[in-house]
Amino acid sequence: KVLQDLIDYLNQKRPKESRVTEAIARLRFSSDYDNDKKTVQTIFSKIEAHFNRTDELITNAFSLEHIQDQDRNREWTLAIGNLIPLSEKINNEIGQNKTFEIKRIHYQKSALKTVAEFLRHNKQARFEETNSKKWESVVAATLYKATELERP
């Protein structure tokens, strides 16, 4: 009973989902701005663990892939909605300036469930700002679910 009361109390103290969504929307990562890199990696690690439903395999051995190549003149390309976790090997195989269709072929090689979830939500031929906003929403909602304490 005490543990259940503590979990209920802590869940009540969690920030509202809208605050989490707003905070995630402010995160940025690029080759010349990496202040948020660890935060983004932690978010994707937490989401991956949530999708795996166990802690059998917790890995931080991934790089951050810009789905649409990063471009300082297009702010959305630096946001978390334009990022997925990806093994460094697969990321390096892709290289620069590839179309989304080509990148999707490489993404299918990933064993990460977060990447599979991304692919499930993104079957279109091009990845644009509206797709980035949708993926950002999926990331925020999934993170919120992944951080909820469950009652025993």
Side-chain angles (χ1 to χ4, degrees), residues 121-148:
H121 285 275
N122 290 281
K123 296 178 179 170
Q124 71 280 355
R126 296 174 49 112
F127 191 82
E128 298 179 348
E129 186 172 7
T130 56
N131 307 110
S132 173
K133 292 290 185 200
K134 287 177 186 171
W135 176 238
E136 183 177 283
S137 294
V138 170
V139 169
T142 307
L143 177 65
Y144 195 76
K145 269 189 238 164
T147 56
E148 184 175 27

CSV table of all heavy atoms in Angstrom, one decimal, residues 121-148:
chain,number,residue,atom,x,y,z
A,121,HIS,N,5.6,5.1,-39.1
A,121,HIS,CA,5.0,6.4,-39.2
A,121,HIS,C,5.3,7.2,-40.4
A,121,HIS,O,4.7,8.2,-40.7
A,121,HIS,CB,5.3,7.3,-38.0
A,121,HIS,CG,4.6,6.9,-36.7
A,121,HIS,ND1,3.3,7.3,-36.4
A,121,HIS,CD2,5.0,6.1,-35.7
A,121,HIS,CE1,3.0,6.8,-35.3
A,121,HIS,NE2,3.9,6.0,-34.8
A,122,ASN,N,6.4,6.7,-41.2
A,122,ASN,CA,6.9,7.5,-42.3
A,122,ASN,C,7.1,6.6,-43.5
A,122,ASN,O,8.2,6.3,-43.8
A,122,ASN,CB,8.2,8.2,-41.9
A,122,ASN,CG,8.0,9.3,-40.9
A,122,ASN,OD1,7.5,10.4,-41.3
A,122,ASN,ND2,8.2,9.0,-39.6
A,123,LYS,N,6.0,6.4,-44.2
A,123,LYS,CA,6.1,5.6,-45.4
A,123,LYS,C,6.1,6.4,-46.7
A,123,LYS,O,6.2,5.9,-47.8
A,123,LYS,CB,4.9,4.6,-45.5
A,123,LYS,CG,5.0,3.6,-44.3
A,123,LYS,CD,3.8,2.7,-44.3
A,123,LYS,CE,4.0,1.8,-43.1
A,123,LYS,NZ,2.9,0.9,-42.7
A,124,GLN,N,6.0,7.7,-46.6
A,124,GLN,CA,6.0,8.6,-47.7
A,124,GLN,C,7.4,8.7,-48.4
A,124,GLN,O,8.4,8.3,-47.9
A,124,GLN,CB,5.6,10.0,-47.2
A,124,GLN,CG,6.6,10.8,-46.4
A,124,GLN,CD,6.7,10.4,-44.9
A,124,GLN,OE1,5.9,9.6,-44.4
A,124,GLN,NE2,7.6,11.0,-44.2
A,125,ALA,N,7.4,9.3,-49.6
A,125,ALA,CA,8.6,9.3,-50.4
A,125,ALA,C,9.5,10.4,-50.0
A,125,ALA,O,10.7,10.3,-50.2
A,125,ALA,CB,8.2,9.5,-51.9
A,126,ARG,N,9.0,11.5,-49.3
A,126,ARG,CA,9.9,12.6,-48.9
A,126,ARG,C,9.6,12.9,-47.4
A,126,ARG,O,8.6,12.6,-46.9
A,126,ARG,CB,9.5,13.9,-49.7
A,126,ARG,CG,9.8,13.7,-51.2
A,126,ARG,CD,9.3,14.9,-52.0
A,126,ARG,NE,9.7,16.2,-51.4
A,126,ARG,CZ,10.6,17.0,-51.9
A,126,ARG,NH1,11.1,16.8,-53.1
A,126,ARG,NH2,10.9,18.1,-51.3
A,127,PHE,N,10.6,13.4,-46.8
A,127,PHE,CA,10.5,13.8,-45.4
A,127,PHE,C,10.7,15.3,-45.3
A,127,PHE,O,11.7,15.9,-45.7
A,127,PHE,CB,11.6,13.1,-44.5
A,127,PHE,CG,11.4,13.3,-43.1
A,127,PHE,CD1,10.5,12.5,-42.4
A,127,PHE,CD2,12.1,14.3,-42.4
A,127,PHE,CE1,10.3,12.6,-41.0
A,127,PHE,CE2,11.9,14.4,-41.0
A,127,PHE,CZ,11.0,13.6,-40.3
A,128,GLU,N,9.6,15.9,-44.9
A,128,GLU,CA,9.5,17.4,-44.8
A,128,GLU,C,9.2,17.9,-43.5
A,128,GLU,O,9.0,17.1,-42.5
A,128,GLU,CB,8.6,17.9,-45.9
A,128,GLU,CG,9.0,17.5,-47.3
A,128,GLU,CD,8.1,17.9,-48.4
A,128,GLU,OE1,6.9,18.3,-48.1
A,128,GLU,OE2,8.5,17.8,-49.6
A,129,GLU,N,9.1,19.2,-43.3
A,129,GLU,CA,8.8,19.8,-42.0
A,129,GLU,C,7.6,19.3,-41.3
A,129,GLU,O,7.6,19.0,-40.1
A,129,GLU,CB,8.7,21.3,-42.1
A,129,GLU,CG,8.6,22.0,-40.8
A,129,GLU,CD,8.7,23.5,-40.9
A,129,GLU,OE1,8.8,24.1,-42.0
A,129,GLU,OE2,8.8,24.2,-39.8
A,130,THR,N,6.5,19.1,-42.1
A,130,THR,CA,5.3,18.5,-41.4
A,130,THR,C,5.5,17.1,-40.9
A,130,THR,O,5.0,16.8,-39.8
A,130,THR,CB,4.1,18.5,-42.4
A,130,THR,OG1,4.5,17.8,-43.6
A,130,THR,CG2,3.7,19.9,-42.8
A,131,ASN,N,6.3,16.3,-41.6
A,131,ASN,CA,6.6,15.0,-41.1
A,131,ASN,C,7.5,15.0,-39.9
A,131,ASN,O,7.3,14.3,-38.9
A,131,ASN,CB,7.4,14.2,-42.2
A,131,ASN,CG,6.6,14.1,-43.5
A,131,ASN,OD1,7.1,14.8,-44.5
A,131,ASN,ND2,5.5,13.5,-43.6
A,132,SER,N,8.4,16.0,-39.8
A,132,SER,CA,9.2,16.2,-38.7
A,132,SER,C,8.4,16.6,-37.4
A,132,SER,O,8.6,16.1,-36.3
A,132,SER,CB,10.2,17.4,-39.0
A,132,SER,OG,11.0,17.7,-37.8
A,133,LYS,N,7.4,17.4,-37.6
A,133,LYS,CA,6.5,17.8,-36.5
A,133,LYS,C,5.8,16.6,-36.0
A,133,LYS,O,5.6,16.5,-34.8
A,133,LYS,CB,5.6,19.0,-36.9
A,133,LYS,CG,6.3,20.3,-37.2
A,133,LYS,CD,6.8,20.9,-35.9
A,133,LYS,CE,7.4,22.3,-36.2
A,133,LYS,NZ,8.3,22.7,-35.1
A,134,LYS,N,5.3,15.8,-36.9
A,134,LYS,CA,4.5,14.6,-36.5
A,134,LYS,C,5.4,13.6,-35.7
A,134,LYS,O,5.0,13.1,-34.7
A,134,LYS,CB,4.0,13.9,-37.7
A,134,LYS,CG,2.8,14.6,-38.3
A,134,LYS,CD,2.3,13.9,-39.6
A,134,LYS,CE,1.2,14.8,-40.2
A,134,LYS,NZ,0.8,14.2,-41.5
A,135,TRP,N,6.7,13.4,-36.2
A,135,TRP,CA,7.6,12.5,-35.5
A,135,TRP,C,8.0,13.1,-34.1
A,135,TRP,O,8.0,12.4,-33.1
A,135,TRP,CB,8.9,12.3,-36.3
A,135,TRP,CG,9.9,11.4,-35.7
A,135,TRP,CD1,11.2,11.8,-35.4
A,135,TRP,CD2,9.7,10.1,-35.1
A,135,TRP,NE1,11.8,10.8,-34.7
A,135,TRP,CE2,10.9,9.7,-34.6
A,135,TRP,CE3,8.7,9.2,-35.1
A,135,TRP,CZ2,11.1,8.5,-34.0
A,135,TRP,CZ3,8.9,8.0,-34.5
A,135,TRP,CH2,10.1,7.6,-33.9
A,136,GLU,N,8.1,14.4,-34.1
A,136,GLU,CA,8.4,15.1,-32.8
A,136,GLU,C,7.3,14.8,-31.8
A,136,GLU,O,7.5,14.5,-30.6
A,136,GLU,CB,8.5,16.6,-33.0
A,136,GLU,CG,8.9,17.4,-31.8
A,136,GLU,CD,9.1,18.8,-32.2
A,136,GLU,OE1,10.1,19.2,-32.7
A,136,GLU,OE2,8.2,19.6,-31.9
A,137,SER,N,6.0,14.8,-32.3
A,137,SER,CA,4.9,14.5,-31.4
A,137,SER,C,4.9,13.1,-30.9
A,137,SER,O,4.6,12.8,-29.8
A,137,SER,CB,3.6,14.8,-32.1
A,137,SER,OG,3.4,16.2,-32.4
A,138,VAL,N,5.3,12.2,-31.8
A,138,VAL,CA,5.4,10.8,-31.4
A,138,VAL,C,6.4,10.6,-30.4
A,138,VAL,O,6.2,9.9,-29.4
A,138,VAL,CB,5.6,9.9,-32.7
A,138,VAL,CG1,6.0,8.4,-32.3
A,138,VAL,CG2,4.5,9.9,-33.6
A,139,VAL,N,7.6,11.2,-30.6
A,139,VAL,CA,8.7,11.1,-29.6
A,139,VAL,C,8.2,11.6,-28.2
A,139,VAL,O,8.4,11.0,-27.2
A,139,VAL,CB,9.9,11.9,-30.1
A,139,VAL,CG1,11.0,12.0,-29.0
A,139,VAL,CG2,10.5,11.2,-31.3
A,140,ALA,N,7.6,12.8,-28.2
A,140,ALA,CA,7.1,13.4,-27.0
A,140,ALA,C,6.1,12.5,-26.3
A,140,ALA,O,6.2,12.3,-25.1
A,140,ALA,CB,6.5,14.8,-27.2
A,141,ALA,N,5.1,12.0,-27.0
A,141,ALA,CA,4.1,11.2,-26.4
A,141,ALA,C,4.7,9.9,-25.9
A,141,ALA,O,4.3,9.4,-24.8
A,141,ALA,CB,3.0,10.9,-27.4
A,142,THR,N,5.6,9.3,-26.6
A,142,THR,CA,6.2,8.0,-26.2
A,142,THR,C,7.1,8.2,-25.0
A,142,THR,O,7.1,7.4,-24.1
A,142,THR,CB,7.0,7.4,-27.4
A,142,THR,OG1,6.2,7.3,-28.5
A,142,THR,CG2,7.6,6.0,-27.0
A,143,LEU,N,7.9,9.3,-25.0
A,143,LEU,CA,8.7,9.6,-23.8
A,143,LEU,C,7.8,9.8,-22.6
A,143,LEU,O,8.1,9.3,-21.5
A,143,LEU,CB,9.5,10.9,-24.0
A,143,LEU,CG,10.4,11.3,-22.8
A,143,LEU,CD1,11.4,10.2,-22.5
A,143,LEU,CD2,11.0,12.7,-23.0
A,144,TYR,N,6.7,10.5,-22.7
A,144,TYR,CA,5.8,10.7,-21.6
A,144,TYR,C,5.3,9.4,-21.1
A,144,TYR,O,5.3,9.1,-19.9
A,144,TYR,CB,4.6,11.6,-22.0
A,144,TYR,CG,3.9,12.1,-20.8
A,144,TYR,CD1,4.4,13.2,-20.0
A,144,TYR,CD2,2.6,11.6,-20.4
A,144,TYR,CE1,3.7,13.7,-18.9
A,144,TYR,CE2,2.0,12.1,-19.3
A,144,TYR,CZ,2.5,13.1,-18.6
A,144,TYR,OH,1.9,13.6,-17.5
A,145,LYS,N,4.9,8.5,-22.0
A,145,LYS,CA,4.4,7.1,-21.5
A,145,LYS,C,5.5,6.3,-20.9
A,145,LYS,O,5.3,5.7,-19.9
A,145,LYS,CB,3.9,6.3,-22.8
A,145,LYS,CG,2.5,6.5,-23.1
A,145,LYS,CD,2.1,5.5,-24.1
A,145,LYS,CE,1.5,6.3,-25.3
A,145,LYS,NZ,1.4,5.6,-26.5
A,146,ALA,N,6.7,6.5,-21.5
A,146,ALA,CA,7.9,5.7,-21.0
A,146,ALA,C,8.3,6.1,-19.6
A,146,ALA,O,9.0,5.3,-18.9
A,146,ALA,CB,9.0,5.8,-22.0
A,147,THR,N,8.0,7.3,-19.2
A,147,THR,CA,8.5,7.8,-17.9
A,147,THR,C,7.4,7.7,-16.8
A,147,THR,O,7.6,8.1,-15.7
A,147,THR,CB,9.0,9.2,-18.0
A,147,THR,OG1,8.0,10.1,-18.6
A,147,THR,CG2,10.3,9.3,-18.9
A,148,GLU,N,6.2,7.2,-17.2
A,148,GLU,CA,5.2,7.0,-16.2
A,148,GLU,C,5.5,5.9,-15.3
A,148,GLU,O,5.9,4.8,-15.7
A,148,GLU,CB,3.8,6.8,-16.9
A,148,GLU,CG,2.7,6.7,-15.9
A,148,GLU,CD,1.4,6.6,-16.6
A,148,GLU,OE1,1.3,6.1,-17.7
A,148,GLU,OE2,0.4,7.1,-16.0
